[in-house]
C-alpha cells in the first residue's frame, strides 16, 4: 500500500516523498449534535483514513493533490489565503491558512499528496481526517511545536471560518486522540476525554454506508446550529446557562415553555436528552451491558428522526431493518442527512444481517449499501520520521 503511494508520488512530483502521515476517520457511537452545545459524545477513531505524503519544494508553492480527486491546486506561499472553488482543497488550505496566521514565519513550499480510503460524504469524517493530517504534517515539518489540542483547534477554526461550516470539535478531536480498542467519552465543555475500553464481546460494530452522500457544507447543518443558539437565547431569559447541555432533561422540561417555537423546543430537547443518553451509555459500556447500550443507540436514532429531523428515509430504513433479530442497537452516525449508520450485530447473525440489508435496502432505495466492520484504531501519526 505505502509502496504504491510512494510510487504515485514519484510519478506526479518527479521526486521522492520525504514524510508520510496517516489520520484516521471516526465513528461516533452516540452523542450526536451535542458537541456544539457543550455536551458529551462517544467517538472512536477507525482504521480507514487518509495518508499524506509530502516533500519540500523550492517553487514557493503548496501543491495540493489527491489520488481520490482529479482537481488539484497550486497556491503560492503567502501570509493570506483565499478559498478556492475546488471543494476538497479548502480543507487542507484552511488549515494552512490558520497555521500561517499562528506561526507567521518559516513556512515554505510543499508537494502534498493525499490518498484516502474513507468513502466520501459517508459521515465518517473524511474531511477532519484530511485536516488533521495536514495540521500534523505542517507542525512536524516546520517544527512549530504546537500541542495536539492546538492542532485540533486550528482545524476546527479552519472548518468554521475558512470552509464555513459551524461544526463542533467532535471529529477533529476523535481523529487526533483516538486509541486502539478504546472509545473516547468526550466532554465538549471542558474539551477533554476519559478513555473507555470498547469491549463488544460477541458483537461486531458494523458501518452501513447508505451511499446517499451529503456534504457538510449543506446549509441544514448550520441551520441546526443556529436553531440551538436561538433556543438557548430563550432559555437564558430565566436560566444562567451558557450552553444547552448544562441543563438536565428535568430542568429543561421546567423551562420548556420559555421557547415559543415548538420546532426550536424539539431541537433543544434532543440535544439535552442525547447528552444524558451518552452518560448512560458510558456507564453501560463500562459494565459490559451491551443490551442497554444498544437500546440507547436506538433511542438516539429515534430522537434524531423525530426531534432533530436529520435522519432521512435511507438512514431510517437501515435502522428499521436492524431492529430485527440479532442486533443490539443501531443508529445514524455523524451529522446525518444521509451518510452512514452503525449497528452492533451479534457475530452469529452477521451473515444474515448483511444479506438482509443488501437486499431490502437496495430494493426500496435503489442505492447499493456498503457494509464493513469497524476496527477501532489510533489517532493521527507520522508513519516514518523521514522517508529519504
Ligand atoms: C458533524 C460535525 C461534528 C458534529 C456531528 C454531529 O460530524 O462535524 O462537529 O456536530 O456532525 O454530532
Amino acid at each position: 500500500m505505502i509502496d504504491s503511494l510512494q510510487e504515485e508520488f514519484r510519478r506526479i512530483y518527479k521526486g521522492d516523498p520525504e514524510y508520510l502521515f496517516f489520520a484516521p476517520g471516526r465513528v461516533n457511537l452516540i452523542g450526536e449534535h451535542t458537541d456544539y452545545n457543550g455536551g458529551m459524545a462517544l467517538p472512536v477513531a477507525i482504521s480507514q483514513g487518509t495518508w499524506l505524503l509530502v516533500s519540500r519544494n523550492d517553487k514557493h508553492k503548496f501543491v495540493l493533490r489527491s489520488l481520490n480527486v482529479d482537481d488539484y491546486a497550486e497556491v503560492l506561499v503567502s501570509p493570506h489565503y483565499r478559498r478556492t472553488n475546488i471543494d476538497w482543497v479548502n480543507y487542507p488550505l484552511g488549515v494552512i491558512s490558520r497555521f500561517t496566521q499562528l506561526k507567521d514565519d518559516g513556512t515554505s513550499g510543499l508537494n502534498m499528496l493525499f490518498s484516502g480510503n474513507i468513502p466520501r460524504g459517508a459521515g465518517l469524517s473524511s474531511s477532519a481526517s484530511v485536516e488533521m493530517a495536514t495540521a500534523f504534517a505542517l507542525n512536524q515539518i516546520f517544527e512549530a511545536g504546537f500541542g495536539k489540542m492546538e492542532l485540533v483547534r486550528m482545524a476546527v477554526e479552519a472548518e468554521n471560518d475558512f470552509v464555513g461550516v459551524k461544526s463542533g470539535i467532535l471529529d477533529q478531536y476523535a481523529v487526533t486522540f483516538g486509541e486502539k480498542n478504546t472509545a473516547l467519552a468526550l466532554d465538549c465543555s471542558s474539551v477533554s476525554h476519559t478513555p473507555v475500553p470498547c469491549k463488544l464481546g460477541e458483537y461486531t460494530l458494523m458501518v452501513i454506508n447508505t451511499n446517499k452522500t451529503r456534504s457538510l457544507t449543506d446549509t441544514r447543518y448550520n441551520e441546526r446550529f443556529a436553531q440551538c443558539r436561538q433556543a438557548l437565547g430563550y432559555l437564558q431569559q430565566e436560566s444562567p446557562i451558557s450552553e444547552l447541555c448544562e441543563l438536565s432533561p428535568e430542568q429543561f422540561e421546567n423551562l420548556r415553555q420559555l421557547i415559543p417555537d415548538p420546532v426550536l423546543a424539539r431541537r433543544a430537547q434532543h440535544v439535552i436528552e442525547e447528552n444524558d443518553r451518552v452518560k448512560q451509555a458510558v456507564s453501560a459500556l463500562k459494565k459490559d451491558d451491551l443490551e442497554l447500550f444498544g437500546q440507547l443507540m436506538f433511542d438516539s436514532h429515534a430522537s434524531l428522526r423525530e426531534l432533530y429531523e436529520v435522519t432521512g428515509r435511507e438512514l431510517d430504513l437501515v435502522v428499521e431493518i436492524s431492529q430485527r433479530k440479532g442486533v443490539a442497537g443501531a443508529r445514524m452516525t455523524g451529522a446525518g442527512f444521509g451518510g452512514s449508520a452503525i449497528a452492533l450485530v451479534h457475530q452469529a447473525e452477521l451473515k444474515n444481517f448483511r444479506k438482509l440489508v443488501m437486499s431490502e435496502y437496495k430494493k426500496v432505495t435503489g442505492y447499493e449499501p456498503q457494509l464493513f466492520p469497524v476496527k477501532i484504531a489510533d489517532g493521527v501519526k507520522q508513519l516514518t520520521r523521514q522517508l529519504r
Side-chain angles (χ1 to χ4, degrees):
M1 171 74 188
I2 288 170
D3 286 348
S4 68
L5 290 179
Q6 280 184 263
E7 203 50 46
E8 285 296 317
F9 189 95
R10 277 186 214 111
R11 190 181 59 76
I12 293 169
Y13 289 115
K14 318 282 178 246
D16 287 319
E18 294 172 68
Y19 307 89
L20 173 60
F21 303 89
F22 177 77
R26 68 97 190 88
V27 152
N28 189 20
L29 300 178
I30 192 163
E32 226 62 85
H33 293 278
T34 46
D35 65 341
Y36 52 88
N37 291 296
M40 304 274 307
L42 191 63
V44 298
I46 62 177
S47 55
Q48 286 85 356
T50 309
W51 285 264
L52 169 58
L53 291 89
V54 191
S55 70
R56 291 177 186 255
N57 67 38
D58 51 17
K59 293 187 288 187
H60 211 57
K61 276 179 186 169
F62 286 102
V63 186
L64 299 161
R65 286 193 177 255
S66 162
L67 292 181
N68 304 91
V69 202
D70 287 338
D71 289 336
Y72 71 99
E74 295 195 6
V75 184
L76 271 179
V77 173
S78 104
H80 301 287
Y81 296 91
R82 288 224 197 103
R83 276 173 63 108
T84 69
N85 52 11
I86 305 172
D87 210 26
W88 81 268
V89 161
N90 290 323
Y91 292 92
L93 191 58
V95 173
I96 291 171
S97 168
R98 190 70 193 121
F99 183 88
T100 309
Q101 286 165 3
L102 296 170
K103 184 189 185 304
D104 51 8
D105 59 337
T107 56
S108 56
L110 297 177
N111 295 331
M112 306 176 90
L113 180 64
F114 296 85
S115 175
N117 63 356
I118 311 174
R120 280 180 89 202
L124 303 174
S125 286
S126 57
S127 49
S129 174
V130 166
E131 289 163 4
M132 290 318 305
T134 308
F136 205 80
L138 297 176
N139 196 38
Q140 295 292 107
I141 296 169
F142 298 124
E143 297 175 358
F146 291 118
K148 279 186 172 179
M149 201 54 233
E150 289 168 292
L151 299 178
V152 166
R153 289 198 193 283
M154 202 181 283
V156 174
E157 284 158 7
E159 190 155 324
N160 290 172
D161 304 331
F162 196 87
V163 179
V165 182
K166 292 291 170 210
S167 54
I169 205 161
L170 169 69
D171 305 345
Q172 291 79 1
Y173 193 101
V175 164
T176 304
F177 290 99
E179 258 180 71
K180 200 173 173 195
N181 298 331
T182 305
L184 314 179
L186 168 60
D187 179 341
C188 300
S189 67
S190 62
V191 197
S192 60
H193 76 274
T194 313
V196 185
C198 202
K199 290 180 278 157
L200 300 178
E202 297 178 315
Y203 287 87
T204 298
L205 179 62
M206 294 290 292
V207 165
I208 306 100
N209 176 8
T210 62
N211 268 321
K212 159 101 188 300
T213 53
R214 45 134 214 114
S215 143
L216 254 193
T217 34
D218 194 322
T219 50
R220 288 174 297 178
Y221 184 90
N222 285 351
E223 184 189 278
R224 294 297 180 282
F225 177 90
Q227 289 172 328
C228 289
R229 288 288 174 275
Q230 266 180 288
L232 176 67
Y234 287 120
L235 295 169
Q236 282 171 329
Q237 292 166 355
E238 280 189 25
S239 174
I241 52 169
S242 48
E243 308 262 25
L244 284 179
C245 289
E246 286 166 37
L247 295 177
S248 68
E250 297 72 29
Q251 287 169 324
F252 172 68
E253 279 315 315
N254 292 331
L255 295 170
R256 187 186 186 114
Q257 80 288 348
L258 293 171
I259 308 177
D261 178 344
V263 172
L264 296 185
R266 288 208 298 275
R267 303 292 189 249
Q269 184 187 345
H270 162 76
V271 167
I272 291 162
E273 291 179 352
E274 180 79 352
N275 185 42
D276 192 58
R277 269 190 291 274
V278 179
K279 295 177 190 163
Q280 294 181 53
V282 169
S283 66
L285 195 57
K286 284 183 180 161
K287 286 190 230 144
D288 298 328
D289 187 347
L290 292 181
E291 204 179 311
L292 174 58
F293 191 87
Q295 187 52 52
L296 291 162
M297 289 171 77
F298 281 131
D299 294 348
S300 164
H301 188 86
S303 175
L304 288 155
R305 183 184 64 224
E306 301 298 322
L307 302 176
Y308 218 64
E309 297 178 275
V310 290
T311 58
R313 89 181 175 125
E314 291 81 11
L315 286 164
D316 289 343
L317 180 63
V318 170
V319 172
E320 201 185 296
I321 298 171
S322 307
Q323 250 147 355
R324 308 200 197 138
K325 206 173 130 224
V327 180
R331 58 185 292 281
M332 55 157 262
T333 190
F337 316 110
S340 296
I342 49 171
L344 268 184
V345 186
H346 195 281
Q347 275 155 17
E349 292 293 329
L350 274 174
K351 259 199 184 150
N352 286 341
F353 178 74
R354 182 183 287 273
K355 236 163 98 195
L356 199 66
V357 175
M358 290 304 271
S359 64
E360 295 209 10
Y361 179 78
K362 190 165 179 203
K363 200 160 65 196
V364 178
T365 62
Y367 294 113
E368 189 88 46
Q370 182 191 11
L371 282 85
F372 55 89
V374 172
K375 281 206 205 94
I376 301 178
D378 286 330
V380 59
K381 57 185 163 204
Q382 183 166 6
L383 291 183
T384 48
R385 277 199 67 71
Q386 269 200 309
L387 292 173
R388 279 207 297 219

